[in-house]
Each structure stands twice: as C-alpha cells, then as structure tokens.
Amino acid sequence: MKKYIGCDLGGTNLRAAIVDVESGDVLHHMSIPTQAREGHEAVMGRMADLFKQVIQSAGMQKDDIGGIGIGAPGVLDLEKGETLFLPNLSGTWPHVPLRDTITHLTGLPTALLNDVRSITNGEWRFGAGRGVDTVAVFAIGTGIGGGLVVNGQLHLGIGGTGGELGHTMIDFNGPRCGCGNYGCLEVYASGPAIAAMGMKAVAQGLTTSIGELCEYDLNRITPELITRAAEGGDEIAKDIYEQAGFYIGIAAANMCSAIGPRCIIIGGGVAQAGDLLLDPIRRTIRERVHVMPVEQVEVVQSQLGNNAGVIGVACWAAFQPSI
Ligand SMILES: [Zn+2]
C-alpha cells in the first residue's frame, strides 16, 4: 500500500510526516515555522513545498504517496474542504479552500480534519484506543480539544464539527469562555486555568512549594511546574489537580451517559501529570454515573504523544468514509 503524508498545521510550526497507515509508523518527518503572519496564501505555498521536501528527503517519489491529510486547529467545512475559523492563525482563515489549493499545488489528493479529531483518529487506530469501538478524547493544553469515536467510526457531525468536548458546559452560570459561551470545561481545566490556580495560591500566600519552584515569579508557573510540586508531596499542588480532574470528570461523566464509551483518553501536554489528573477523573465518573456500567469505562493517558495527530490524519486521508 502507498504511504500517506500527515500534516499538523500549527500556529507556530508546520509538521509533515510520511506515515505507513497499515502499521501506524512514522517513516520520516520534517518541521518548519508556520510564519502565519504572512497570511494563508504564503502558508499554503510553504506547506506544498514542505510536502515535496519530505517526500524527497525520505528518498521517495510522488508516486509512492497515496495522498495528504492536514490536521487544522479550528473549525472546518469538510464537505467544501475549507477552513472557516482557525483562531490561532493570523487572519483566522475564513473560507480558505485549503484542500483544493494543496491538491492543486502538489497533484496529490488531500483531505482535511480538525487537529484534535486527527489525534482522536490516531489514538483510536494505533494508540490508547486501539481495538475499542467507542472512545472519547479530551486533549488538555492551551485549550481543551476533543474527539469521539462512536460504534467503530470517527464521529464527524455537521462538517466535522462534532466532538468539541472542551466546550461542553459544566456550569451554565460560569465565567465567559473564549468561544462566547459561559462555563465551558475549557475555562476550568485547560493548561492556563491550571496555571492560574497555582498563581492564585502563591499570590494568596498559601504554604506551597509552587512559590519556590517558580522563584516567586508568577509568570513562570505552568501545569508542568505544578506537577513537579505535587510529585514532591505538595498538598496545594495535588489539590489543584484534584480540582481540574473533578471538572474534567464531570464532562467525562456526561460523555459516559451520552455515548457509553469503553475508553476515555486524556491527551495534550497537561496529561503528562498522569494519575494526579486521571485518578480524580476516574473517581468522579464512578461517583456521578449510574445509568451505564461505568466500572467498564477505562480512563487512560494518550500513547502516541506528538505523533498522534499526523498518524491520525494520514489514516484519515487513506481510509476516510466518503463525505
Ligand atoms: Zn467554550
């Protein structure tokens, strides 16, 4: 079978990988700065050049490649192959015909997918959700992305917009979210929300090693630093992950009732906290879900790390159902 290119279109970096979609192996990969400020035309030109380069530097020919999958960070129209709103890319890319432009520039069939749905597809096919028919993914980073696999199929919904688990509401009277709604999960448990809990604890003068670890420079507090404090036995730091895990657990409990997943995968940079974050999620779903066999739901950390998205979107390009 031909190999496929998986691309992660990020706000900072463009990454392209040649993927064996039968084994899930990344055979070769390259990364360049996105330089998003130059605008979408320039970025699409650079993407097409990157795809040609990655084929060449892998010692392959264009004929060896079956197609290209692009994971994009935002809202897409999969039917039209357009980007609608990419909040982290300058200009936000409204109605940019990304699919057809890349097909035209490279001569290779191209497919688009949201970046976290790409991660979901990768983890389901070759990572923590392998062999499981119904999966929910929460990717906890700067924001909270999500994705669903239902009955052995990546769930798309209208134009591929289904699965925004970070914008499920956990308090409809809560603080405003970047999406315009109030009380979304993302407001409570994203990386910046977790860092803010650490900043607040230090600013309030609570006894916590977070202050020493950041040398009392609040801007240096990150989820990773709070993890280090918690691993050193700091009760405040542990409590921050208890709270974040509780919030994610509430959203995960709602997903249990909605789709009956066998597996809930927690990914993104914040998932590095491991059981500090996962244990309160597990506890919360077991306490809060009574209408399905919640003891059969596994809550696990993602397995493929940075490669999940490029593997998943390469597989999407290779095996996507017709839309
Ligand atoms: Zn929101």
Side-chain angles (χ1 to χ4, degrees):
M1 187 170 178
K2 290 188 177 189
K3 310 306 177 207
Y4 283 76
I5 293 175
C7 171
D8 180 29
L9 166 57
T12 311
N13 289 306
L14 273 176
R15 189 153 169 267
I18 295 183
V19 177
D20 180 330
V21 295
E22 289 171 301
S23 67
D25 291 327
V26 171
L27 304 176
H28 189 70
H29 70 97
M30 292 177 75
S31 182
I32 59 170
T34 308
Q35 296 180 338
R37 263 177 292 171
E38 292 180 8
H40 62 262
E41 292 289 347
V43 173
M44 290 193 291
R46 202 160 27 246
M47 289 170 85
D49 290 343
L50 177 65
F51 301 148
K52 289 171 194 163
Q53 276 175 36
V54 78
I55 294 168
Q56 196 180 38
S57 68
M60 300 175 105
Q61 310 287 329
K62 194 175 122 187
D63 283 350
D64 299 323
I65 303 297
I68 298 167
I70 299 170
V75 185
L76 310 171
D77 183 331
L78 296 190
E79 283 88 356
K80 292 185 179 155
E82 291 180 351
T83 58
L84 297 180
F85 180 60
L86 308 186
N88 299 325
L89 286 159
S90 93
T92 72
W93 297 43
H95 295 288
V96 173
L98 176 59
R99 181 187 65 197
D100 294 350
T101 304
I102 297 297
T103 301
H104 174 72
L105 292 174
T106 61
L108 286 164
T110 301
L112 307 184
L113 192 62
N114 167 275
D115 58 347
V116 185
R117 256 69 86 196
S118 300
I119 291 170
T120 302
N121 202 36
E123 289 288 343
W124 171 50
R125 288 183 177 273
F126 293 109
R130 197 168 189 164
V132 179
D133 68 348
T134 299
V135 177
V137 175
F138 291 86
I140 324 281
T142 310
I144 298 184
L148 299 170
V149 172
V150 179
N151 299 340
Q153 233 181 13
L154 184 70
H155 174 72
L156 295 176
I158 300 172
T161 52
E164 287 293 343
L165 306 189
H167 300 282
T168 52
M169 284 172 278
I170 59 170
D171 179 357
F172 52 75
N173 288 321
R176 183 144 190 155
C177 177
C179 76
N181 189 15
Y182 294 86
C184 298
L185 174 64
E186 181 169 295
V187 179
Y188 295 91
S190 65
I194 290 169
M197 286 191 253
M199 291 173 194
K200 194 173 163 198
V202 174
Q204 285 176 338
L206 301 181
T207 307
T208 166
S209 63
I210 296 169
E212 291 145 42
L213 287 171
C214 75
E215 295 170 348
Y216 296 94
D217 177 354
L218 297 187
N219 292 320
R220 289 169 65 179
I221 297 176
T222 59
E224 191 266 329
L225 183 144
I226 297 171
T227 301
R228 268 192 285 145
E231 286 169 351
D234 187 274
E235 291 300 327
I236 299 278
K238 284 192 224 172
D239 195 50
I240 288 171
Y241 275 108
E242 279 289 322
Q243 279 190 52
F246 171 71
Y247 294 132
I248 298 165
I250 292 294
N254 288 332
M255 282 308 110
C256 288
S257 305
I259 64 164
R262 288 183 190 281
C263 182
I264 294 175
I265 300 172
I266 310 298
V270 176
Q272 301 293 326
D275 287 341
L276 280 171
L277 183 68
L278 268 55
D279 279 342
I281 299 173
R282 293 177 180 124
R283 216 178 308 122
T284 304
I285 64 169
R286 275 156 187 63
E287 284 169 9
R288 294 297 184 124
V289 178
H290 303 283
V291 292
M292 52 85 70
V294 71
E295 69 284 353
Q296 293 179 33
V297 182
E298 281 195 86
V299 178
V300 295
Q301 205 172 325
S302 60
Q303 284 179 0
L304 301 180
N306 277 341
N307 283 334
V310 291
I311 293 169
V313 81
C315 292
W316 175 250
F319 305 121
Q320 67 171 315
S322 54
I323 51 169

